[in-house]
Amino acid sequence: MLNLILLHGALGHSKIFEPLKEELSKYFTIYTPLFSGHGTSGLPQDGISIEKYTIELKEFIEKNNLHNVYIFGHSMGGYAALCYALEYPEKLNSVMTLGTKFNWTEEQALKESTMLNSDIIAEKVPKYAALLEAQHGEKWKELLHSIAGLMVSLGKNPPLKDKLSMINVPIQIMVGDKDNMVTLEESTEVYRSLPNARLAVLPDTKHPMDKVRPNLLLEVMKDFWNLSE
């Protein structure tokens, strides 16, 4: 049995993968875990970090006794997936990332984190604030603050820096050509740093997962996995 783990991004939710699950379930048993602090899961008292989310992924795979594991990670989920691949390559068949930001500097992280101000979001983007509350409950403002801290931590000490060449499992790096958070240049640089990787640029595609055309993404996925009906 082939197992596929779909990992959401920061402030995301596993529900975002619903448009993909019916087709992917023809080939895999699908798992859509939530990182702590997201959905109905509580925020850890000691905070959140990429390192913590990597451990949560490890524990999820162990708890479910998963073998023949494939991972698709959107945004931050892709970063956690590659951190896991660095530590436990023997557990994985391959990893795909989409819209994952790798070029985290302290300056960039501080810039991104300042955008996660709950009062400004509630005032300027009320629809997004309502979505965050619907997905994560009353703690959505706390989650924003925690994710801002995660970004700053990434900027100060990016765990994948200078370690990409050590990841030997097959990787596909994907980025949308209209992604306003992740550049084609940084995605290409990461692709070239990985010893066993492919690069795919999705046309007319923005960063949010709900802006990605499912049929386009599914075709790229199937091509990487060499799947056919």
Side-chain angles (χ1 to χ4, degrees):
M1 178 61 68
L2 303 180
N3 298 295
L4 174 61
I5 301 174
L6 304 175
L7 297 176
H8 64 83
L11 304 175
H13 196 284
S14 55
K15 292 178 181 178
I16 203 71
F17 298 120
E18 288 300 319
L20 305 174
K21 287 171 67 175
E22 181 179 355
E23 180 65 21
L24 291 175
S25 64
K26 296 177 183 179
Y27 311 96
F28 302 96
T29 300
I30 308 296
Y31 296 88
T32 55
L34 283 166
F35 289 114
S36 59
H38 294 76
T40 57
S41 62
L43 276 165
Q45 290 187 347
D46 57 346
I48 58 177
S49 65
I50 283 293
E51 290 82 2
K52 179 182 285 291
Y53 283 163
T54 304
I55 291 171
E56 289 180 9
L57 176 57
K58 171 181 178 289
E59 291 175 345
F60 180 85
I61 291 172
E62 290 177 348
K63 179 181 178 181
N64 290 278
N65 193 29
L66 299 184
H67 303 277
N68 281 322
V69 174
Y70 298 76
I71 298 179
F72 167 82
H74 175 246
S75 195
M76 179 203 70
Y79 202 103
L82 287 191
C83 288
Y84 180 84
L86 177 65
E87 298 292 333
Y88 309 101
E90 72 281 359
K91 299 287 187 179
L92 289 175
N93 287 344
S94 71
V95 173
M96 302 181 78
T97 72
L98 172 61
T100 295
K101 183 163 189 62
F102 298 99
N103 186 24
W104 285 102
T105 63
E106 196 164 354
E107 180 183 4
Q108 179 69 33
L110 287 169
K111 178 183 176 182
E112 295 289 344
S113 67
T114 57
M115 299 172 66
L116 300 181
N117 183 304
S118 58
D119 293 333
I120 293 176
I121 290 175
E123 179 184 352
K124 302 290 186 180
V125 202
K127 287 185 178 180
Y128 184 47
L131 174 63
L132 290 173
E133 185 169 7
Q135 289 184 336
H136 310 297
E138 294 180 359
K139 69 176 186 304
W140 72 273
K141 292 184 178 182
E142 295 176 70
L143 178 59
L144 276 171
H145 180 74
S146 296
I147 292 297
L150 179 151
M151 288 180 172
V152 172
S153 175
L154 266 177
K156 290 181 177 178
N157 185 29
L160 290 178
K161 185 178 181 180
D162 300 324
K163 295 179 181 178
L164 291 169
S165 63
M166 300 165 60
I167 302 176
N168 290 306
V169 300
I171 308 290
Q172 174 139 303
I173 302 296
M174 295 184 290
V175 62
D177 62 352
K178 293 185 177 179
D179 193 317
N180 62 359
M181 182 175 179
V182 183
T183 66
L184 294 175
E185 289 76 15
E186 69 183 282
S187 300
T188 302
E189 182 180 354
V190 168
Y191 150 70
R192 288 175 174 163
S193 299
L194 292 161
N196 188 7
R198 295 190 353 179
L199 175 68
V201 179
L202 304 189
D204 197 28
T205 300
K206 298 179 181 180
H207 183 79
M209 190 66 200
D210 60 357
K211 300 297 184 184
V212 179
R213 287 169 285 163
N215 289 343
L216 172 63
L217 179 56
L218 285 166
E219 286 305 310
V220 178
M221 286 175 151
K222 288 181 182 180
D223 183 66
F224 177 59
W225 291 321
N226 194 26
L227 299 176
S228 59
E229 297 289 350

